[in-house]
Amino acid sequence: MLKTVIPFGPQHPVLPEPLHLKLTVEDEVITEAIPALGFVHRGLEMLANIRDFKQMTQVVERVCGICSMIHAMCYCQGIEAIMGIEVPRRATFLRTIWSELNRMHSHLLWLGLFADSFGFESLFMQLWKIREKVLDLNEATAGNRIIVSVNVIGGVRRDLAPEQISWMLAELAEVEQEINRLGSTLLTDYTVKKRTAGKGVITKDKAFELGLAGPTLRASGVCQDMRMLGYAAFDQLDFEPVVETGGDCYARSKVRFREVLQSIDLIRQALSRIDQSEIRTKVKGRPQGETVCRVEQPRGELFYYIKADGTKNLERLRIRTPTFANIPALLSILPGMWLSDVPVAVLSIDPCISCTER
Amino acid sequence: MFKMTPNVLRNLFFPKATRRYPLEVRAPFENVRGALMNDIEKCTFCSACALKCPSQCIAVDKKAATWSYDPFACVFCGICVEICPAESLHQKPEYRLPVAQRESILLKGEPGQKIEKSS
Amino acid sequence: MRDEVISVDPDNLVGAVAKIKVEGYRFVTLSCMQGDENMVVVLYHFDKDLVLKHLRVSVPADRALPSITPVYFAAFLVENEIQDLFGLRFSGLAVDYERTLYLEGDVKVTPFCRYTVAKMNADKAKMLSASADLPGTGGS
């Protein structure tokens, strides 16, 4: 049988970001997939040697647009751990609220793109219409729509007024209602199931062995969520990770759909339990030491290794983003698939390439 | 099948979700970090903003009393507004409008200004 | 770091990693950084039930480190990244991009290596400045 090599990406209608896959195809079936990266590598880790450790908060936010808030939160938590800074309780709650808003808009973006990947354009538009409301919540409370710049070492930069809290609750109720209305389409529609169910199955053992992270791992039945570590205010909220056992594209979309609703619930809990206190502590001195900090991004486990030597620049800042861990999954699920299912399978791991390459 | 149809029908009876943007502009939220402005009369040219800026888009010359700013390199984080000791920097809630050509802003003030103590 | 850090010799690395896999750990990632003088420090991070375990390996920059891809296949991407950015080579990589994961094929520098100016004695400085004058040997 004739072997053909088909390049998939870096520019492809279904891909939000430049990922290149070399697909070896026999007839219409993939036999081998080799990823190629390096289209958006910016060397941000190296910027830690030029910008001082406080400016790096704004730099790491720009590792990736969609998960920006959580990047900065992870970085600040890491530096705070090195310097032994106690963050005020109210600040940790505010961080939790903004990080869950971030997760909501990221998942809604992904659900829309996923609908688009199998050609369901009206579902895509409806989901992004809801996402717009979440972005408005960000804009009104944090000051910016996506890269919210609220984190600072030692706390947060914005506070919530009581009337803002009640407005947020009302908006969230509306968002929840609209998401639930689309839920039956996304999860039970015949065409959607036909395109996603049973495609790209990763078994529990395989997912664990490949070191996958986030919803991709949880959809295979592994209960692993960094929020279980109880960072920020997650130790004060009732939280159960969302786990599905299917391991296919359908299970992955279901995990993310359920996580949007879970995020709404977590924000409600955080808004009701928020303490009255300062939002920021003064930071004196420079960090010295090394630490590892992990938080849960929309795409999975975010890993920061920070080494500081007591100067104003960090000695080493290492960022391992969840998509970096999830790319080996593509090598495992693509062989044996039909060429027409590749867009759905590639999107199902939620590839965020500017995160991956930094 | 036809799970989307109720949504489609609902949307027929609701107003548009989009706006005809340049003709119709939504009022901005309060405290949004929009265009960066400098009250050059208040500015003391202390260079604090230029030093703290994460994207290094501000340059200050104390002797010539100039403050220059590249809005295309600016990331609108608002750090400079927060640390400005003279409170001359502020951000408008409106965003900067798109322009066809790259431009930078150069403001010239009086040298030797001191922070006015408001009683 | 609060978690357990084990120092490992490069020769025993694959064995140590295989032991960790048997213990049921999930591969997280590798972190690479410049150590003292010509050494490169590589940290291997593993996770089990939200608890991390790290292996620390120091290796001279010009010596190849054994790849752990036979044990954890997922490490191929990060090992290739380190090859690109630090110039450290891994032997026995499952998928070797030959330093073209991020970089173009004709790039010979390693972007993440920090070049430090070492104090040199007068003889060596004289020797270097003499060799720099010769055509074709500059920029050693």
Side-chain angles (χ1 to χ4, degrees):
Chain A
M1 219 176 295
L2 203 66
K3 271 191 184 173
T4 324
V5 176
I6 296 181
F8 179 86
Q11 300 299 327
H12 189 280
V14 80
L15 285 174
E17 283 181 87
L19 168 69
H20 177 68
L21 286 170
K22 242 183 236 155
L23 302 174
T24 313
V25 178
E26 265 178 42
D27 279 349
E28 286 276 292
V29 180
I30 315 283
T31 55
E32 198 187 12
I34 300 286
L37 302 168
F39 298 97
V40 283
H41 175 66
R42 292 149 291 161
L44 278 177
E45 287 176 1
M46 210 52 191
L47 214 52
N49 296 341
I50 302 166
R51 301 275 190 269
D52 74 39
F53 72 97
K54 285 181 184 163
Q55 289 176 330
M56 279 310 284
T57 317
Q58 268 68 42
V59 174
V60 294
E61 271 187 319
R62 281 153 183 88
V63 167
C64 156
I66 304 301
C67 355
S68 64
M69 152 71 205
I70 301 179
H71 267 289
M73 181 167 84
C74 187
Y75 174 78
C76 289
Q77 282 178 3
I79 296 281
E80 282 152 9
I82 291 180
M83 296 176 77
I85 298 168
E86 185 81 29
V87 182
R89 282 312 287 168
R90 190 175 175 86
T92 60
F93 272 98
L94 289 169
R95 276 182 185 175
T96 310
I97 291 163
W98 277 308
S99 70
E100 288 309 308
L101 278 175
N102 195 295
R103 191 181 319 279
M104 271 172 76
H105 93 71
S106 170
H107 278 343
L108 285 168
L109 173 125
W110 179 83
L111 287 166
L113 289 174
F114 190 58
D116 191 44
S117 79
F118 48 76
F120 204 152
E121 202 131 324
S122 64
L123 184 58
F124 157 70
M125 301 221 178
Q126 293 294 318
L127 284 161
W128 279 42
K129 190 176 115 187
I130 306 172
R131 178 174 178 255
E132 204 60 26
K133 272 214 167 68
V134 183
L135 293 183
D136 279 353
L137 280 171
N138 261 342
E139 192 177 7
T141 56
N144 286 9
R145 282 165 68 79
I146 290 177
I147 302 188
V148 289
S149 277
V150 283
N151 283 293
V152 73
I153 295 161
V156 288
R157 293 171 59 199
R158 289 277 172 116
D159 201 357
L160 288 182
E163 63 269 18
Q164 268 179 321
I165 290 178
S166 51
W167 174 73
M168 275 175 89
L169 287 170
E171 287 282 298
L172 282 174
E174 240 173 87
V175 169
E176 187 177 27
Q177 206 183 358
E178 287 190 36
I179 292 171
N180 278 328
R181 200 176 291 137
L182 289 178
S184 66
T185 315
L186 198 71
L187 299 177
T188 57
D189 191 89
Y190 174 77
T191 44
V192 177
K193 278 193 117 169
K194 198 85 185 153
R195 283 306 301 274
T196 57
K199 301 273 160 71
V201 180
I202 308 174
T203 58
K204 189 175 176 177
D205 295 339
K206 190 83 187 163
F208 197 79
E209 197 201 316
L210 284 172
L212 306 185
T216 319
L217 182 61
R218 287 197 288 278
S220 298
V222 182
C223 175
Q224 200 240 30
D225 192 317
M226 285 306 128
R227 284 175 283 179
M228 283 148 71
L229 285 169
Y231 63 86
F234 285 107
D235 52 344
Q236 308 235 330
L237 306 178
D238 304 323
F239 168 73
E240 278 293 322
V242 177
V243 179
E244 291 285 332
T245 48
D248 53 358
C249 294
Y250 176 73
R252 291 194 270 278
S253 67
K254 199 169 176 186
V255 166
R256 288 185 178 106
F257 179 79
R258 284 177 55 199
E259 278 191 5
V260 179
L261 296 174
Q262 184 196 38
S263 288
I264 296 177
D265 178 47
L266 285 171
I267 295 171
R268 279 210 191 107
Q269 286 185 37
L271 284 174
S272 64
R273 293 178 196 179
I274 191 164
D275 317 356
Q276 284 298 336
S277 73
E278 290 281 299
I279 55 163
R280 196 169 168 175
T281 44
K282 270 240 167 347
V283 178
K284 282 200 192 101
R286 284 166 177 170
Q288 184 163 23
E290 57 178 347
T291 194
V292 164
C293 187
R294 293 191 294 168
V295 301
E296 184 74 12
Q297 246 190 2
R299 285 157 189 81
E301 168 202 33
L302 175 68
F303 177 100
Y304 268 60
Y305 170 79
I306 302 168
K307 191 176 184 197
D309 53 0
T311 58
K312 75 178 177 46
N313 296 325
L314 298 177
E315 194 180 331
R316 176 85 172 111
L317 173 67
R318 158 98 176 112
I319 307 168
R320 200 290 314 252
T321 54
T323 311
F324 201 92
N326 283 337
I327 282 180
L330 284 183
L331 271 79
S332 141
I333 58 174
L334 287 181
M337 277 191 128
W338 288 87
L339 187 59
S340 52
D341 286 332
V342 170
V344 179
V346 169
L347 264 206
S348 76
I349 67 153
D350 199 355
C352 177
I353 305 304
S354 43
C355 256
T356 310
E357 296 178 11
R358 303 171 305 280
Chain B
M1 210 117 42
F2 302 118
K3 295 273 198 253
M4 196 67 181
T5 322
N7 271 306
V8 175
L9 292 175
R10 253 181 74 86
N11 286 339
L12 283 177
F13 302 102
F14 276 87
K16 273 186 196 150
T18 51
R19 229 171 282 116
R20 295 167 62 80
Y21 167 62
L23 305 173
E24 201 184 319
V25 183
R26 185 190 67 180
F29 290 108
E30 263 178 75
N31 295 326
V32 166
R33 299 196 193 98
L36 179 68
M37 294 290 164
N38 189 4
D39 261 342
I40 201 73
E41 286 90 53
K42 278 197 208 161
C43 185
T44 57
F45 306 99
C46 65
S47 309
C49 49
L51 284 172
K52 296 276 177 184
C53 176
S55 70
Q56 313 209 318
C57 65
I58 302 173
V60 180
D61 189 337
K62 190 158 184 150
K63 271 192 190 141
T66 57
W67 182 88
S68 66
Y69 161 63
D70 181 359
F72 291 83
C74 180
V75 293
F76 298 94
C77 59
I79 297 280
C80 49
V81 179
E82 228 168 68
I83 55 111
C84 183
E87 290 174 14
S88 77
L89 289 171
H90 62 271
Q91 279 183 300
K92 291 205 293 190
E94 289 92 13
Y95 296 108
R96 288 182 60 86
L97 293 175
V99 287
Q101 226 128 59
R102 201 187 165 106
E103 57 186 27
S104 80
I105 293 168
L106 181 77
L107 296 175
K108 201 166 161 32
E110 295 292 317
Q113 281 183 105
K114 294 266 158 59
I115 300 176
E116 277 175 41
K117 288 220 175 72
S118 54
S119 52
Chain C
M1 283 189 284
R2 288 165 300 174
D3 323 289
E4 190 185 355
V5 185
I6 308 165
S7 286
V8 182
D9 202 55
D11 301 324
N12 305 334
L13 174 67
V14 179
V17 172
K19 185 169 163 251
I20 280 177
K21 188 176 183 178
V22 171
E23 286 168 12
Y25 278 83
R26 188 177 64 94
F27 172 74
V28 179
T29 193
L30 268 63
S31 300
C32 184
M33 72 201 106
Q34 286 269 225
D36 296 331
E37 290 177 4
N38 203 24
M39 298 295 271
V40 175
V41 180
V42 184
L43 280 170
Y44 290 72
H45 311 282
F46 302 93
D47 163 281
K48 186 186 184 183
D49 300 332
L50 304 177
V51 179
L52 283 168
K53 192 176 203 171
H54 316 274
L55 297 183
R56 189 187 290 269
V57 184
S58 281
V59 66
D62 49 3
R63 215 191 117 183
L65 203 59
S67 166
I68 61 160
T69 46
V71 188
Y72 285 105
F73 173 73
F76 83 95
L77 210 56
V78 66
E79 287 186 347
N80 273 300
E81 182 185 291
I82 291 171
Q83 282 202 136
D84 272 28
L85 302 178
F86 285 90
L88 182 71
R89 298 307 293 242
F90 286 87
S91 56
L93 252 174
V95 185
D96 196 347
Y97 287 81
E98 295 289 335
R99 301 198 57 223
T100 56
L101 181 69
Y102 290 158
L103 308 173
E104 293 297 317
D106 52 352
V107 178
K108 293 283 175 280
V109 292
T110 48
F112 275 34
C113 282
R114 203 180 303 162
Y115 297 99
T116 47
V117 184
K119 269 191 193 149
M120 53 180 145
N121 53 39
D123 297 342
K124 205 177 171 190
K126 203 182 273 175
M127 208 174 73
L128 275 179
S129 66
S131 67
D133 292 337
L134 297 172
T137 54
S140 52

